[in-house]
Amino acid sequence: MAAAASSLGRSGALEISRRLAAICGPPFSRLAGPADEVAGRPARFVAVPGGPHAAAEVLRLAARHDLAVVPRGAGTKIDWGATPVQVDILLDTGRLAGIGHESVDSLATDVGAGTPLRAVQATLERTGQRLAMDAPSPGATVGGVLAAGEAGPLRHRHGSPCDQLLGVRYLAADGELISVGGGAPGLDLARLLCGSQGALGVLVSASLRVQPAPASRLWVSRPVWTPLEVHDLVRTILAARLEPSAIELDLPGGTPRPRTPYPPGHPAATARERHPSMSGRAGAPSRAGSLVMLLEGGPADVTERAERLVGLLHGEATIAHSAPTWWRRYPFAPGDTALRLEVPIGDLHAAVYALRDAAGAPVPVRGSAGLGVVHAALPGALAPDRVASILAAVRGVLLARQGRCVVVSAPAAVRQAVDLWGELAGLAQLRAAKRRVDPEHRLAPGRLPGGL
């Protein structure tokens, strides 16, 4: 593929440009610029098709000339995952947009892949409804959220965005438009599109579950001092069956030591000092972060459950009518090495301790403590071999606990030097799906594990 694409020459490139302009319209096709990169790999052309059939034509053109195509939504996660082997055509889904929801009684809505998620939520809000999707990336499109497998706090109760799928329309590498849904066997394959970064198909539209928007929302916040304490608190919360919509943990990292909320000798201070997580630690512990639970439902019911939760978590818990500032935000910044840790909730503290010990200092961690899925940030300035050693240590701990650690995004030098994925049980299934929908490896080649 690379040889074929590089041999286009000037006349071949002009022909591709002319054909893309004919398919998409002159304003919607161009030579790629400096900003048109995918995980550091520059594109050659950008095409913005006006509908599914035009997108199919772009893929058929790519197939005829053996060109690689990578879909792009709003570009909020374009640097996530592995660097593709080649990006000849960046297929922008911005014009594959629209919201088909009409009836307040409808249990589903059809959404174009290029539609911003916040636009869908704003439209549904007018009829007192919502999608149970709260991806953290600002401006993300529905297609981008699904293609990246991105989920926010609501996944605790409602599952991932992929779990909201009732049907989907997508394009295979040869331009065939495939529609599946209603429990059709093809929906299993379509769900593999979630998290595939466009390497298994180009999402055109999705049919998604709609639910009534909750009348009331309250956030119950509890400061935490150690990762082991988080384990005990989460176990208490889940056993109480209070049906939280989210249980989110924020451990900012660093080594702050704010004053203890209780004077020496106070029963609560004494209890904390005797907690197993304090073993071997001198003096009053520093606050590590916060555990926050979201409760949703009718006003009276939510208030009653919130008060019960405060009672379970003792006097340090507080109730708020708005989310904390870090809610639905990642702990990493551009240029950091971003990690995703997945581990059984009973072992989440072990994963956090392993990461801290390997890094030599507390590491910012944030995510769904009630599911054992969190993100962490390593400084972008860390040398690649240092990052590799941290990953090896953490993965060694997680492997024994049926967990895993994935590099979500990283500086170019780190991305090239480390194994982004670690152990992956579903690689054979991914390989089979890739053979089925993209046997020539033209869709985002190299974006999936195993170089697929």
Side-chain angles (χ1 to χ4, degrees):
M1 181 190 301
S6 62
S7 65
L8 278 174
R10 179 175 176 81
S11 61
L14 289 174
E15 173 62 15
I16 297 298
S17 295
R18 186 186 69 79
R19 291 292 301 131
L20 289 174
I23 293 169
C24 303
F28 300 105
S29 67
R30 58 180 172 81
L31 294 175
D36 300 312
E37 292 187 348
V38 182
R41 182 76 67 195
R44 302 186 67 184
F45 308 96
V46 177
V48 193
H53 297 295
E57 281 296 317
V58 171
L59 289 173
R60 284 193 279 269
L61 175 68
R64 286 196 296 272
H65 294 273
D66 199 20
L67 304 178
V69 179
V70 178
R72 177 180 67 183
T76 58
K77 295 170 288 297
I78 201 68
D79 288 332
W80 284 24
T83 301
V85 174
Q86 191 166 316
V87 186
D88 295 310
I89 300 175
L90 195 59
L91 196 158
D92 190 306
T93 63
R95 296 170 72 200
L96 304 178
I99 305 169
H101 183 75
E102 295 181 359
S103 170
V104 69
D105 299 320
S106 177
L107 299 178
T109 183
D110 292 323
V111 182
T115 312
L117 177 58
R118 62 188 176 192
V120 181
Q121 300 288 33
T123 298
L124 294 175
E125 185 180 4
R126 300 188 192 114
T127 57
Q129 297 172 300
R130 73 171 182 183
L131 299 178
M133 294 169 60
D134 58 346
S137 297
T141 63
V142 168
V145 168
L146 293 171
E150 186 180 27
L154 288 179
R155 65 183 151 194
H156 174 83
R157 183 171 185 182
H158 300 287
S160 70
C162 189
D163 293 324
Q164 313 307 316
L165 274 179
L166 297 173
V168 67
R169 298 173 74 209
Y170 68 96
L171 292 162
D174 61 1
E176 180 186 2
L177 182 61
I178 301 170
S179 299
V180 294
L187 192 55
D188 290 337
L189 174 61
R191 282 182 170 152
L192 284 177
L193 294 171
C194 297
S196 71
Q197 299 283 9
L200 293 180
V202 179
L203 281 165
V204 170
S205 64
S207 178
L208 298 161
R209 287 189 180 89
V210 171
Q211 62 177 226
S216 180
R217 310 178 88 199
L218 290 176
W219 285 261
V220 178
S221 180
R222 166 68 150 77
V224 294
W225 279 262
T226 71
L228 184 55
E229 185 183 21
V230 173
H231 166 261
D232 294 342
L233 291 171
V234 170
R235 184 172 58 183
T236 298
I237 295 163
L238 295 178
R241 301 185 182 278
L242 294 174
E243 298 183 345
S245 293
I247 303 176
E248 291 287 297
L249 172 67
D250 177 46
L251 301 175
T255 55
R257 294 187 64 86
R259 62 183 176 85
T260 177
Y262 301 107
H266 188 284
T270 302
R272 184 177 302 118
E273 290 166 3
R274 291 176 178 172
H275 191 278
S277 65
M278 295 295 102
S279 177
R281 299 173 188 269
S286 63
R287 169 175 169 166
S290 301
L291 188 68
V292 179
M293 288 61 65
L294 169 62
L295 300 173
E296 298 181 315
D301 171 64
V302 168
T303 299
E304 189 271 336
R305 284 189 286 138
E307 291 172 350
R308 284 174 56 198
L309 188 52
V310 167
L312 283 172
L313 302 178
H314 308 298
E316 298 166 69
T318 58
I319 300 174
H321 291 270
S322 59
T325 55
W326 52 263
W327 192 263
R328 284 183 58 205
R329 295 188 180 185
Y330 294 114
F332 48 82
D336 287 343
T337 294
L339 309 178
R340 185 176 72 249
L341 288 81
E342 304 170 4
V343 68
I345 57 174
D347 291 317
L348 179 59
H349 64 287
V352 175
Y353 279 132
L355 185 59
R356 183 200 64 181
D357 292 344
V363 172
V365 173
R366 186 179 297 157
S368 296
L371 295 177
V373 180
V374 297
H375 288 88
L378 298 175
L382 281 181
D385 59 344
R386 181 79 179 99
V387 175
S389 69
I390 293 171
L391 284 174
V394 173
R395 284 170 174 166
V397 172
L398 294 182
L399 185 61
R401 293 168 168 80
Q402 289 75 54
R404 60 192 300 252
C405 176
V406 172
V407 179
V408 175
S409 181
V414 172
R415 194 194 307 270
Q416 294 167 7
V418 305
D419 175 7
L420 301 182
W421 310 102
E423 295 288 333
L424 185 65
L427 186 57
Q429 186 182 22
L430 278 178
R431 200 180 301 279
K434 185 73 170 175
R435 277 198 304 267
R436 177 175 173 181
V437 299
D438 184 21
E440 303 299 324
H441 287 222
R442 294 194 188 98
L443 292 176
R447 289 284 266 169
L448 290 174
L452 295 177

